[in-house]
Amino acid sequence: MERRPRRNRKSPVLRKMVEETKIGTEHLIYPIFLKDGNNIKEEIASLPNNYRWSIDLLLKEVESCVALGIMTFDMFPAVDDALKDQVASYSYADDNFYLNAIHVLKREFPEIVLMSDVAMDPYSSDGHDGLVVDGKILNDETLPILNRMALAQAQAGIDIIGPSDMMDGRVGAIRNHLDENGFSDVSIMSYTAKYASAFYGPFRDALNSAPKHGDKKTYQMNPANKREAILEAELDYIEGADMLMVKPALCYLDIIHVLKEQFNIPITAYNVSGECAMVYAASEKGWVNYNNAITEILISMRRAGADAILTYFAKDFARFITN
Ligand code: PBG
């Protein structure tokens, strides 16, 4: 036999030397959930190991993540139902606890990168990402609301805006609005190919943000479609997105791959809540090894082409590789 691929696998050092894909904490973005109040650390039932934090305790949590090398965070607000309305007005209210938390985090940890969603669902009494009128999700009427939300986050000090609503034209609208108001430095990581997925359940539990009626299929993409993802990416690229995200990640590695091939800006992947919940559940039963499973999952996303990955596994993975 002339070709024996096993020779390159004969020792740990050699295997590491020929390893094609690398992953480290610099590639990870850690999603975290915030709640108004003090001394709150509430575990999310369907997403073990993940919590709703009040800002006082979150500061300590962020400090421990930074010590592990996790430097980028995506923050989500769990908003009291009483503050939700049809137009998501709390999203840009002066006394919004979440906007204040962005400010405090950036003051205490100037070196970290903070990202935030722009979409109506955490603030909407309808639980939809866009404005609902007579049961329809209106596109163009949603854009000014997203603009206002994005500007409020920029004023609070956010580094990256993540439009996650899937309205047409929102990247361009937000880009213009930020630029006109002096925030041309704020980045946009667009949720470009965001699919209407079964894997967002635990996230919606965490924020109590599930749609009150209907589903999200008139704006989120059909899981069967790949060419449409390229169209979405073209539009977001033209409209000024700095990075393109694919979401979920695990069932959509082919989409990550095709966008990486075709667009010369960073591609990111959102390893969503339901994908993580499956691993937690199976490892709790002893059916898969947790650390090995998360390593394999994260490396698969990098191998497919993701420059960075949003993942609830971030802290566990960082602990695992530093130990
Ligand atoms: C809000 C949003 C969702 C997620 C991120 N931003 C839920 C949804 O669109 O219904 C899901 C993230 C996850 O499941 O981890 N638009």
Side-chain angles (χ1 to χ4, degrees), residues 31 33 47 74 76 117-122 127-129 162-166 191 194-204 207 209-211 216 219-220 245 247-248 270-276 310 312:
F33 300 100
L47 203 57
D74 192 3
F76 297 96
D117 252 34
V118 165
M120 288 177 65
D121 52 335
H128 275 286
D129 296 21
S164 74
D165 53 288
M166 290 302 278
Y191 286 67
K194 177 170 180 179
Y195 288 88
S197 169
F199 293 102
Y200 304 150
F203 176 97
R204 293 176 188 171
L207 300 189
S209 64
K216 298 194 174 184
Y219 46 106
Q220 298 181 349
M245 185 207 291
K247 173 186 176 191
Y270 200 142
N271 178 205
V272 299
S273 58
E275 299 177 315
C276 297
L310 295 100
Y312 303 93

Side-chain angles (χ1 to χ4, degrees), residues 11 75 93 118 124 127 142 145 202 237 259 271 315 321:
S11 78
M75 315 206 307
V118 165
S124 152
T142 298
I145 299 173
Y237 182 84
L259 294 197
N271 178 205
K315 195 173 183 190
I321 57 173

Side-chain angles (χ1 to χ4, degrees), residues 89-304:
S89 58
Y90 185 66
S91 65
Y92 46 80
D94 284 340
D95 60 350
N96 181 320
F97 77 93
Y98 170 76
L99 297 175
N100 183 55
I102 294 173
H103 175 74
V104 171
L105 277 168
K106 286 300 289 184
R107 187 186 65 209
E108 299 299 316
F109 303 96
E111 72 283 16
I112 65 173
V113 171
L114 278 191
M115 168 169 171
S116 174
D117 252 34
V118 165
M120 288 177 65
D121 52 335
Y123 307 97
S124 152
S125 45
D126 296 298
H128 275 286
D129 296 21
L131 180 67
V132 183
V133 177
D134 297 332
K136 275 195 157 174
I137 290 90
L138 304 185
N139 194 90
D140 298 11
E141 291 75 359
T142 298
L143 301 182
I145 299 173
L146 301 177
N147 283 347
R148 216 165 154 177
M149 196 182 298
L151 181 59
Q153 294 178 8
Q155 286 163 339
I158 207 75
D159 297 294
I160 303 176
I161 297 277
S164 74
D165 53 288
M166 290 302 278
M167 297 301 119
D168 294 334
R170 89 277 205 214
V171 171
I174 292 170
R175 184 72 274 159
N176 280 340
H177 196 60
L178 291 176
D179 290 355
E180 277 166 12
N181 285 280
F183 290 100
S184 55
D185 276 355
V186 172
S187 315
I188 296 181
M189 181 195 293
S190 177
Y191 286 67
T192 290
K194 177 170 180 179
Y195 288 88
S197 169
F199 293 102
Y200 304 150
F203 176 97
R204 293 176 188 171
D205 289 347
L207 300 189
N208 186 25
S209 64
K212 298 287 184 295
H213 52 84
D215 54 40
K216 298 194 174 184
K217 290 181 183 167
T218 67
Y219 46 106
Q220 298 181 349
M221 285 176 54
N222 179 345
N225 293 359
K226 178 167 171 177
R227 294 168 66 241
E228 192 183 359
I230 300 170
L231 170 63
E232 287 285 359
E234 277 166 358
L235 293 171
D236 287 357
Y237 182 84
I238 293 166
E239 290 174 33
D242 301 287
M243 302 177 228
L244 304 175
M245 185 207 291
V246 175
K247 173 186 176 191
L250 212 40
C251 300
Y252 300 89
L253 296 176
D254 57 331
I255 310 298
I256 297 172
H257 177 78
V258 76
L259 294 197
K260 181 63 169 246
E261 298 277 294
Q262 299 202 18
F263 294 89
N264 293 323
I265 54 177
I267 306 299
T268 62
Y270 200 142
N271 178 205
V272 299
S273 58
E275 299 177 315
C276 297
M278 290 194 294
V279 179
Y280 292 132
S283 60
E284 249 169 47
K285 285 187 174 283
W287 292 349
V288 297
N289 176 286
Y290 180 71
N291 285 327
N292 294 342
I294 68 175
T295 305
E296 187 172 336
I297 284 171
L298 295 174
I299 205 82
S300 77
M301 294 166 190
R302 291 269 304 143
R303 194 188 62 237

